[in-house]
Amino acid sequence: MTTTDTAPRTGLRAVLPHGRGVVTFGLSNLVSALGTGVFYPYTLLFFPALLGISLTQVGTVLSVTALVALPGMFWVGRLIDRLGPRTVLIAAALLRAAGFIGYVSIRHVAAFALFSVLIALCNRAEQAASPALAVALAPDGERNRWLALARTAFNAGVGGGALLGSALIAGGETALMWLGLANAAGFLVAGLVLWPLRTPTVPPADRAKLSRGPWRDGAFLVVVGFNSPLWMVALAVETSMSAYLIGTLGAPAWLAGTLFAVNTGLLMVFQLPLAPLLDRWGNLTVLLAGTLLTAVFLVAMALGGALGGTALVVLLLVGMVIYTAGELAVAHARYALLTDLPPPSELGSFMAFNQVAVGISGALVPFVVAALLDSAPAGLWWLMAALTVVTTVGVLAARPLLLARGQKQ
């Protein structure tokens, strides 16, 4: 196993991850995220224009195909363990490139559904294999920096891609097909970037060890149980904030954009520098702090209806800074826990199992958000705050179990 440099780190060396392949790993994540950023914000413009179907039909197909793809993750997890995360990441990237080319080439609802299942499965495969690749490549003591690098590259790529996407759609509906082709190009390049990378194999002795599997690992199931509702909360914030601020509170349109910009900017700037500091505090402490900060923001959103003008703007800007601090802490702790607990030879299967749980909880978000925004908008934020607080209590209750598995306070 590779060891880290024992020389003291100063300046950028104290922040940036180290190890062979780190530039390739970061670049592949960045390029993939650029393609996602080009397309994702304009999904609901792309498919109705290309296929001539309604938004409701598009949403139904995307939700159903996302759920249909989830059972395939158990097979993907075994492939990660047998073939290695690099191979699965390359295959997923190339298949997604083919899928987006298919979107713009075969403009039929049946093809749309078929390609959507493929892309949904490959998206989940990437989210399982990327942390596994970071674990495989990172030298001792560098794992959380590598994971933080992946999140930083994702935020930077999605932000830059969204700007590029806005330029691509300036030509009107006929230019929307370029969104799909740009996304396909991003995934193709991301896969090719990884091609020359070589990863260490799991030692035969480790591979021979028997495991009860993720569904029988109590500590890992507890972490998955934390991760799924926190993922649901994050998706709810992302998908409903603009509609709530503009449609319910009557806030100016620029406020929602500003809040998203504050969030993305802070994540890009602080994700890597904070990783070493968060490592010192222990995953459980960091996770607890992150859930509490998230709950503070959600309560502020619920109370925003009683305010207006400058007071609302100040409340939400301060709240977004608090939320971003919580997001940084939660992301750091949950990825550390999810990658620390599984046996090295079965990390792919464990991460794939987590993606199934995350996928199920994520599929509920559109329905919950739409129903509550229509009937009780403030109730959405109280519900998410309650879910976060319940998760915090669950973390406290599970501390003895996780401490027994070697996790720090």
Side-chain angles (χ1 to χ4, degrees), residues 12 52 56 63 70 75 78 89 96 98 118 127 180 184 204 223 228 247 259 352 355-356 365 384:
L12 282 177
T56 301
S63 293
L70 288 179
W75 174 67
R78 289 194 291 270
L89 278 172
R96 280 187 293 180
L118 173 67
Q127 292 172 34
V223 175
S228 296
L259 293 175
Q355 284 301 314
V356 173
V365 170
M384 293 300 116

Side-chain angles (χ1 to χ4, degrees), residues 8-198:
R9 294 181 176 181
T10 58
L12 282 177
R13 290 192 78 242
V15 173
L16 298 176
H18 290 69
R20 180 178 297 176
V22 67
V23 174
T24 300
F25 175 77
L27 182 60
S28 176
N29 277 273
L30 178 64
V31 173
S32 178
L34 274 169
T36 300
V38 165
F39 179 80
Y40 179 72
Y42 311 103
T43 301
L44 296 182
L45 293 174
F46 177 82
F47 289 116
L50 224 61
L51 301 171
I53 60 178
S54 69
L55 284 175
T56 301
Q57 290 173 304
V58 169
T60 300
V61 171
L62 291 177
S63 293
V64 170
T65 54
L67 291 172
V68 168
L70 288 179
M73 284 305 299
F74 296 109
W75 174 67
V76 169
R78 289 194 291 270
L79 285 179
I80 294 173
D81 293 332
R82 293 176 183 176
L83 303 179
R86 166 193 165 273
T87 301
V88 171
L89 278 172
I90 292 173
L94 298 181
L95 286 172
R96 280 187 293 180
F100 276 92
I101 292 172
Y103 276 150
V104 300
S105 302
I106 309 174
R107 302 185 186 186
H108 191 279
V109 175
F112 166 45
L114 182 63
F115 288 129
S116 294
V117 171
L118 173 67
I119 290 170
L121 179 62
C122 291
N123 287 342
R124 292 290 172 198
E126 181 194 42
Q127 292 172 34
S130 182
L133 182 60
V135 171
L137 292 172
D140 290 346
E142 291 285 319
R143 173 186 298 184
N144 288 339
R145 283 188 174 93
W146 279 63
L147 293 171
L149 173 64
R151 297 192 297 273
T152 301
F154 177 82
N155 285 304
V158 168
L163 291 175
L164 177 58
S166 66
L168 288 174
I169 64 171
E173 288 189 359
T174 56
L176 286 170
M177 65 174 292
W178 290 106
L179 294 177
L181 294 176
N183 204 5
F187 290 132
L188 177 62
V189 174
L192 294 177
V193 166
L194 285 174
W195 196 275
L197 191 64
R198 293 293 175 263

